[in-house]
Amino acid sequence: MIGTKDNFLPEIELEKYKNRQDWVDIAQQGMFWLDRKAKSNNIFEDYILNHLAGSFTNQIEGFEYWINILSTDSQLDWHFDKDEWLYKSENIVHPFKSTVWYGYPHEVEGGQFEAKGIDNYVDPLYNRLLAFDGDYEHRVRDITKGERLGLSVNLWVYKPEHLNLKNPITMNEINEHTNIR
């Protein structure tokens, strides 16, 4: 199932997400884990704990999150969200749910979300939340103008192995499995 909710946050709360550099800083740092009962360390964790956590089952252990900034020269091809470490051993385990929130007022043409077997595409509209089953194979359609900023959050019933390692899997290794070009 794929669902969307437009105007996900009230306008008054969106102001703190309008600084592009905040998005870039987190995007450059890679992937993060946030336990369900943790305290927030940044505005994106505020969003997860205050707006996303309560929307889903209490069986969620925590949230894996990262930011994708895509443009005409960096697309995201077909992939599915998974525990990257277990995937290396050919075990495929998916998150309970996957979400993308377009919380930055980007200007983009193209860049729609597409899932295999689903006939419609989802436009990356500002302040839209997109949620889908974690095992859907999906991609971002080609961007023809501008850039697309999205906060991706996977909801897990356990902490994925690649986030437990002393030397966690790098974003470059993940990108190899998700076909970012």
Side-chain angles (χ1 to χ4, degrees):
M1 183 178 102
I2 296 176
T4 59
K5 181 167 174 57
D6 291 340
N7 303 310
F8 186 63
L9 292 189
E11 187 63 37
I12 194 165
E13 294 186 41
L14 289 172
E15 195 60 38
K16 68 181 171 182
Y17 300 100
K18 290 183 178 177
N19 181 349
R20 186 179 181 284
Q21 192 59 48
D22 290 339
W23 291 77
V24 171
D25 290 346
I26 293 295
Q28 290 174 342
Q29 292 176 46
M31 188 172 286
F32 301 88
W33 175 259
L34 178 64
D35 285 318
R36 181 180 189 87
K37 296 180 181 178
K39 294 190 189 247
S40 171
N41 291 308
N42 60 53
I43 61 172
F44 302 104
E45 291 182 359
D46 288 347
Y47 158 79
I48 295 167
L49 294 172
N50 295 329
H51 300 287
L52 198 59
S55 300
F56 295 94
T57 176
N58 286 331
Q59 295 176 339
I60 298 301
E61 179 76 19
F63 310 89
E64 171 188 28
Y65 74 95
W66 66 97
I67 289 175
N68 277 325
I69 300 176
L70 302 173
S71 63
T72 57
D73 60 354
S74 61
Q75 307 294 311
L76 184 56
D77 211 352
W78 290 108
H79 69 284
F80 48 86
D81 297 339
K82 60 202 167 293
D83 182 319
E84 298 290 344
W85 185 255
L86 289 178
Y87 182 72
K88 285 182 165 187
S89 65
E90 299 184 11
N91 292 315
I92 300 175
V93 179
H94 303 284
F96 170 71
K97 289 285 181 195
S98 296
T99 70
V100 180
W101 178 57
Y102 306 107
Y104 180 78
H106 54 218
E107 294 185 19
V108 62
E109 292 178 14
Q112 298 91 347
F113 172 89
E114 178 181 9
K116 281 203 173 165
I118 307 291
D119 289 336
N120 60 333
Y121 310 132
V122 178
D123 290 320
L125 300 180
Y126 175 51
N127 197 20
R128 171 176 276 173
L129 175 68
L130 164 67
F132 56 98
D133 293 336
D135 60 350
Y136 278 12
E137 189 170 3
H138 58 280
R139 71 174 181 156
V140 175
R141 294 175 57 82
D142 286 346
I143 295 169
T144 56
K145 184 178 179 184
E147 65 180 6
R148 173 190 183 269
L149 287 80
L151 172 62
S152 296
V153 181
N154 286 341
L155 291 74
W156 288 91
V157 295
Y158 75 95
K159 187 174 183 179
E161 289 299 318
H162 65 274
L163 298 170
N164 282 322
L165 303 172
K166 285 187 179 177
N167 297 312
I169 194 166
T170 66
M171 284 303 286
N172 285 338
E173 291 174 298
I174 291 169
N175 291 344
E176 287 174 17
H177 295 293
T178 56
N179 300 315
I180 292 182
R181 51 182 161 95

